[in-house]
Amino acid sequence: MPDTLKLRLTHWGSRFYGGKGTHYRKILILILLIASIPGLITGALIYWFVGGTIENELLQLHKNQIVKRAEHIDGQFANMELAMSHGALDTKFDYSLKETDFYTQFAVTRDISKTIVLMQGAMPLAKSLDLYIDGKMPAHFNPEFSLIDIQSDEWKQFKSITMKAPNVFWTMVLTNTKAGTTTDLALVHKIPGGVSEPFGLMVARLDRDNVVSLLKTVAPYDEGEAFMMQEDGTELISTGGGSNRESSLIEAVKKEVLGRGGVQQMSFLFKWDKNTYSVSAGALERIDSRWIYVSIAPISAIKKPIVFLSQAIVLVSCAGLLLAAVLAWIASRRIYSPLHQLVRLLSGGKLTQGNEFELIERHWEHMNRESLELQSKLEQQLPQVKEGFLLQLIQGYLSAYSEEDLIERMHHYGWNTEQRQYIVLYIQLVGMSQLDTVGRFSHGDEGLITFAAANMAEEIARERFDDCHVINFHNLTAGLLISIPQGDSCQAELKQLSEALMQTINRILKMQVTITLSKATTQIRKIPLLFEEAKLALSYRNFGNENQIIDLDAFSRTEEEQPFQYPFSLERDIIQAMRMGQESEAESHIRAFMETLAADGVKEMDVQQGVMNLLGSLEHAMMQSGMNPNQLFKSANMFEQLGQLREPEQIEKWFVHKVIGPFIAAMESRADFQLKKMIEQAMLYIQAHYMNDISLDSCAEHCGTNAFVLSRTFKQVSGKNFIDYLTDLRMEKAKEMLRNSDLKINEVSERVGYQHSYFNRIFKKYEGVTPSQYRDMSRKS
């Protein structure tokens, strides 16, 4: 009976497991564990990423938005100050108003009223613009004319404000309305502008609703608050509705901000009343004061979008784990099926109850040994392995190998390494711009052209040398490694090979070729150095579309050096045309610049240095114009792009389309483009009249503006004030004359607009040497 029961249980187990071996249950358990662990790890990583990284990104995004919106608010106030200054300097508001009878001289009264209406229209933040005149007839314009009672509170306020020292300042003023007296923030400008004894005031009261709406942009959430205050903590304006809770929050944040010292730009988390807030603060520089803006946003409002997403991810992860477990159990039964069939195959159709993997391991080791032998034989027959080894060699990846190891490997790959020396030919093709015009090839076909040239080089080389190999770099360059017996001189054959290769490429591909012949070496470890020297020697080729052979054995760099003149004047013309938005003028100056730079006999390395210097000067001019080159070029590496160009036409097109065009388009889209054009006009005027006695007033009159506006705008746009720019220009012109002419020192000083004695002093101040010493130093060098 026990034996019968045992047989029945064995038969039932065999049917349940389908004749499977001992590893089935282990596999099932292992699959279930493996299916669970990735799900748990994935869910945890997703939750961490969503709850941590995205949260930090949202907070950072919120801070960046606050900074940008604060800059917009600052710009609105700055525009209001500028408009106020322009109005105060208007010729209508001169000393004649002090004696004007506004009743009889109604034309003057009407003009003043119109001017005030226009000024108020130019200041969106202003609720009203008032003009007070303390003259023969005390008057008030708002914008209509009315006499003012000198005993009134309004007139006393006007008199007290007049006693303040600054000509332009912000202050709180009282305003009488039907609902009562209110206090408004106002911008006050004494008139006439820029004088020591003003007789009137221009007062622009801010529209509280407009300012609050503007201030709400730095508090983008419904629960958020924003306010502005002075450095002493006096609150100027707030978006709060005035509730006790809002007032308490603002007071608490105000103390925290002031307690952190001087505010330039700060962001921090602030806990108050069991809530956490993101606080951003910064300074707004005004004419006579410094304001501090503060934005308060609850963290819960910022993180609300990701809380729901985090919870959803957790639920989905849990559901995924459950589904993975079920599918793993189902899949485990199918996974074992191939293993079961493999065991039956390896065991000759007999089922085994032992360890299946021992049988598989024995057969695997046997097949692996056979596979390694076959793979070794196959690698010896693959020609691309030889090329791969050579690429690794010349790129320096095999520098850790000894000379013996390299000889052994080269011999293993089929090279003859007994008593051999090695020579490198580096081939570069030029003339892509000419191919574009004839239509044979176009931009983007560089790989195809290089492939064709490499095949030609290999075919021609094998006719003259038994042991050679071509390497295709796919960028209009290729390398040729030639092995010859030690002691043999093959300079004539190499020259013939180079000439034949150049003629073939000229005839078939219609391109010019520069070939560098390296020195010979008997050490394989020095082959990478030969390639590098040959590649670097290409920079000494004559910059032009012509066939050239550079033999490093006979090449002397000191003998090849030629005088090089950088066209500074054309560089200035390019920058000037670019700033003025004259793209066609800039293009013609670029063409002239390249023609001068790439004169006969100049080397490629000199041209590359020159165009790199030009690119740096253009980026410097862009930064002086208030533009970030990284943003303009979308963080592209412009110097790397320029360094890959080898032909004058390509360089010209690249400068016009990639540098000057985007800058001009960006400048024209900016709101201050007209102001910049005015400054460019002023610079042109200075460059044309620097030798004369010019002044800020004469330059302002030429540009159709006043000296105050020109001085302020000139500093903002060019980064220098008027006098420094004029002095720098005169010094540059003087140095140019001292270097390139035999004019006497007093003649040079007169030609740059200075007296002789003053010229010597200012030249030594700027350059550290006298004009005579500078001339001697420049000629000696």
Side-chain angles (χ1 to χ4, degrees):
M1 187 67 181
D3 293 335
T4 304
L5 180 60
K6 184 176 180 181
L7 290 172
R8 288 183 178 179
L9 290 174
T10 303
H11 178 69
W12 177 83
S14 176
R15 291 185 62 189
F16 180 80
Y17 291 110
K20 301 175 179 64
T22 58
H23 284 277
Y24 175 75
R25 282 170 289 181
K26 295 180 181 179
I27 291 174
L28 176 59
I29 295 172
L30 182 62
I31 291 176
L32 289 174
L33 290 175
I34 292 175
S36 302
I37 292 174
L40 291 173
I41 294 175
T42 303
L45 289 176
I46 292 176
Y47 185 82
W48 170 82
F49 180 79
V50 172
T53 306
I54 296 182
E55 176 181 338
N56 294 334
E57 290 295 330
L58 287 175
L59 288 174
Q60 188 60 42
L61 179 61
H62 170 74
K63 295 173 184 177
N64 294 338
Q65 289 178 341
I66 296 303
V67 172
K68 292 181 179 179
R69 293 172 180 177
E71 291 175 354
H72 173 69
I73 294 175
D74 185 57
Q76 292 288 326
F77 282 105
N79 288 338
M80 183 174 177
E81 293 170 351
L82 185 59
M84 196 75 161
S85 298
H86 276 292
L89 294 172
D90 197 323
T91 55
K92 295 184 181 65
F93 305 120
D94 57 14
Y95 279 102
S96 62
L97 295 180
K98 194 170 184 180
E99 304 298 326
T100 302
D101 186 344
F102 295 101
Y103 279 118
T104 59
Q105 298 179 350
F106 63 91
V108 175
T109 305
R110 180 186 59 191
D111 289 344
I112 293 175
S113 297
K114 288 182 178 180
T115 302
I116 293 176
V117 170
L118 292 175
M119 287 180 60
Q120 184 170 348
M123 295 184 288
L125 296 182
K127 174 175 63 177
S128 63
L129 180 61
D130 297 87
L131 175 64
Y132 299 93
I133 298 176
D134 183 11
K136 175 182 179 181
M137 181 179 292
H140 174 215
F141 288 84
N142 183 26
E144 300 296 328
F145 162 74
S146 64
L147 289 177
I148 190 168
D149 184 6
I150 61 176
Q151 300 299 325
S152 65
D153 294 338
E154 186 176 11
W155 182 256
K156 293 177 181 179
Q157 180 182 222
F158 159 67
K159 296 295 288 183
S160 64
I161 292 176
T162 308
M163 299 300 294
K164 292 189 176 182
N167 283 332
V168 186
F169 55 92
W170 290 87
T171 187
M172 304 297 293
V173 297
L174 298 175
T175 304
N176 296 320
T177 62
K178 294 182 180 180
T181 301
T182 60
T183 302
D184 292 324
L185 181 61
L187 176 62
V188 179
H189 199 303
K190 298 179 181 180
I191 60 169
V195 299
S196 59
E197 296 182 3
F199 61 88
L201 284 181
M202 194 175 289
V203 181
R205 292 175 170 85
L206 291 181
D207 188 334
R208 180 179 178 81
D209 293 338
N210 288 347
V211 177
V212 168
S213 299
L214 189 62
L215 192 59
K216 283 182 178 180
T217 60
V218 296
Y221 301 98
D222 294 336
E223 302 89 345
E225 301 291 339
F227 64 94
M228 286 194 302
M229 63 179 178
Q230 295 180 345
E231 287 187 305
D232 60 359
T234 304
E235 184 175 322
L236 298 174
I237 198 162
S238 170
T239 61
S243 66
N244 293 332
R245 188 178 184 281
E246 293 172 343
S247 300
S248 301
L249 173 61
I250 290 175
E251 287 298 322
V253 172
K254 185 189 300 183
K255 291 180 181 179
E256 179 67 18
V257 171
L258 294 175
R260 289 174 177 257
V263 176
Q264 187 59 40
Q265 190 67 45
M266 68 168 64
S267 296
F268 59 90
L269 296 179
F270 180 72
K271 294 184 178 180
W272 183 80
D273 194 19
K274 300 179 180 180
N275 293 319
T276 302
Y277 298 85
S278 175
V279 179
S280 297
L284 301 178
E285 300 291 343
R286 300 273 57 85
I287 288 180
D288 66 323
S289 61
R290 193 173 188 229
W291 297 352
I292 301 173
Y293 72 88
V294 182
S295 170
I296 310 171
I299 291 294
S300 59
I302 299 175
K303 297 195 302 182
K304 184 181 293 183
I306 66 172
V307 171
F308 173 78
L309 181 60
S310 301
Q311 296 172 349
I313 289 175
V314 173
L315 293 177
V316 172
S317 299
C318 293
L321 288 176
L322 179 61
L323 179 61
V326 174
L327 293 177
W329 179 80
I330 297 174
S332 63
R333 300 181 63 84
R334 291 186 174 272
I335 290 174
Y336 191 81
S337 178
L339 179 62
H340 180 64
Q341 295 178 5
L342 179 60
V343 171
R344 287 176 62 92
L345 180 63
L346 296 178
S347 62
K350 297 180 181 180
L351 294 177
T352 177
Q353 299 296 328
N355 193 330
E356 305 95 327
F357 290 100
E358 292 180 356
L359 176 62
I360 295 173
E361 184 178 358
R362 289 194 299 270
H363 284 273
W364 172 259
E365 289 175 352
H366 174 70
M367 289 185 293
N368 188 49
R369 285 193 298 269
E370 292 183 349
S371 175
L372 289 175
E373 292 176 0
L374 292 174
Q375 184 179 0
S376 177
K377 294 178 181 179
L378 180 63
E379 288 178 350
Q380 295 177 21
Q381 299 174 359
L382 292 177
Q384 54 267 35
V385 175
K386 183 176 181 180
E387 183 174 356
F389 166 77
L390 192 54
L391 280 172
Q392 289 182 333
L393 176 66
I394 65 174
Q395 290 172 359
Y397 297 140
L398 305 180
S399 58
Y401 286 77
S402 64
E403 181 71 16
E404 292 74 16
D405 292 337
L406 292 176
I407 291 175
E408 182 180 353
R409 292 193 65 177
M410 289 191 70
H411 180 72
H412 183 69
Y413 290 139
W415 269 289
N416 181 8
T417 57
E418 293 294 331
Q419 299 296 317
R420 308 292 286 184
Q421 60 179 348
Y422 305 93
I423 299 173
V424 168
L425 274 70
Y426 206 94
I427 307 164
Q428 176 177 286
L429 281 66
V430 294
M432 274 297 297
S433 58
Q434 296 178 355
L435 294 182
D436 290 339
T437 59
V438 300
R440 187 178 182 87
F441 294 100
S442 60
H443 181 70
D445 293 337
E446 289 84 354
L448 178 61
I449 296 172
T450 311
F451 176 77
N455 288 341
M456 295 176 193
E458 185 169 18
E459 182 178 350
I460 296 173
R462 291 197 181 278
E463 294 175 357
R464 293 168 172 80
F465 299 97
D466 296 331
D467 202 351
C468 60
H469 193 84
V470 171
I471 304 174
N472 184 356
F473 296 116
H474 305 283
N475 60 351
L476 298 181
T477 61
L480 180 61
L481 178 62
I482 298 176
S483 173
I484 60 175
Q486 287 188 19
D488 287 0
S489 177
C490 59
Q491 291 299 317
E493 289 83 354
L494 291 175
K495 293 290 181 66
Q496 293 174 6
L497 170 62
S498 302
E499 293 289 346
L501 181 58
M502 289 190 296
Q503 292 175 7
T504 304
I505 293 178
N506 293 161
R507 185 180 69 256
I508 299 177
L509 298 180
K510 307 299 182 184
M511 296 188 70
Q512 286 69 45
V513 187
T514 299
I515 299 178
T516 303
L517 305 179
S518 75
K519 300 177 182 179
T521 182
T522 58
Q523 298 183 28
I524 299 175
R525 289 174 57 86
K526 291 186 178 180
I527 291 178
L529 181 60
L530 296 184
F531 270 95
E532 188 64 25
E533 288 180 346
K535 181 179 178 181
L536 293 176
L538 289 174
S539 63
Y540 285 88
R541 75 178 183 91
N542 293 335
F543 193 76
N545 295 336
E546 59 182 20
N547 294 326
Q548 300 176 50
I549 298 176
I550 302 174
D551 188 352
L552 292 183
D553 248 342
F555 182 68
S556 173
R557 295 185 180 179
T558 57
E559 294 176 0
E560 292 293 326
E561 290 182 355
Q562 299 290 337
F564 175 71
Q565 293 293 333
Y566 183 80
F568 290 98
S569 60
L570 287 173
E571 177 191 280
R572 289 195 296 269
D573 293 340
I574 294 170
I575 294 174
Q576 196 67 51
M578 183 180 70
R579 285 176 168 172
M580 292 294 291
Q582 301 169 342
E583 187 169 357
S584 60
E585 293 287 335
E587 183 175 359
S588 64
H589 290 319
I590 286 284
R591 188 176 299 108
F593 180 91
M594 288 304 303
E595 291 174 355
T596 304
L597 195 64
D600 292 338
V602 70
K603 303 303 179 186
E604 180 177 311
M605 62 184 301
D606 295 328
V607 175
Q608 283 290 330
Q609 182 65 36
V611 296
M612 290 293 180
N613 187 73
L614 175 61
L615 178 57
S617 299
L618 295 183
E619 289 195 351
H620 179 71
M622 293 174 186
M623 289 187 288
Q624 283 186 332
S625 300
M627 194 169 297
N628 187 342
N630 286 332
Q631 295 178 354
L632 179 64
F633 302 136
K634 300 179 181 178
S635 300
N637 191 334
M638 305 301 286
F639 288 94
E640 181 179 351
Q641 292 183 16
L642 181 57
Q644 296 173 355
L645 303 179
R646 294 288 182 271
E647 301 176 30
E649 295 81 2
Q650 292 179 336
I651 295 174
E652 293 172 15
K653 293 179 181 179
W654 185 87
F655 269 108
V656 173
H657 299 298
K658 297 293 186 180
V659 180
I660 295 176
F663 173 76
I664 292 176
M667 287 290 291
E668 291 178 347
S669 64
R670 292 173 56 168
D672 58 348
F673 180 67
Q674 294 301 325
L675 289 178
K676 294 184 181 298
K677 287 198 71 172
M678 180 184 70
I679 298 306
E680 296 297 338
Q681 183 182 0
M683 290 180 177
L684 288 175
Y685 177 81
I686 296 172
Q687 292 171 9
H689 300 85
Y690 69 91
M691 68 293 295
N692 301 325
D693 186 16
I694 60 175
S695 63
L696 180 63
D697 290 332
S698 65
C699 187
E701 182 179 358
H702 174 77
C703 297
T705 184
N706 57 68
F708 174 81
V709 174
L710 179 61
S711 177
R712 179 177 179 180
T713 309
F714 200 101
K715 176 70 173 179
Q716 292 175 347
V717 172
S718 66
K720 301 178 181 178
N721 59 41
F722 176 87
I723 294 300
D724 289 343
Y725 181 85
L726 176 60
T727 304
D728 289 344
L729 177 62
R730 285 174 167 174
M731 290 297 102
E732 288 298 323
K733 294 294 184 180
K735 289 191 291 184
E736 185 176 344
M737 293 181 194
L738 291 171
R739 289 193 306 266
N740 303 326
S741 72
D742 294 324
L743 294 173
K744 296 180 179 179
I745 303 300
N746 60 345
E747 293 177 337
V748 173
S749 65
E750 291 175 0
R751 293 195 180 191
V752 295
Y754 286 124
Q755 296 292 334
H756 181 240
S757 58
Y758 181 71
F759 171 71
N760 285 337
R761 291 199 306 273
I762 195 169
F763 190 96
K764 186 171 183 180
K765 176 182 177 182
Y766 269 73
E767 301 300 326
V769 294
T770 64
S772 300
Q773 292 172 338
Y774 177 86
R775 170 174 280 174
D776 294 337
M777 291 166 56
S778 63
R779 292 186 175 180
K780 288 178 181 178
S781 61

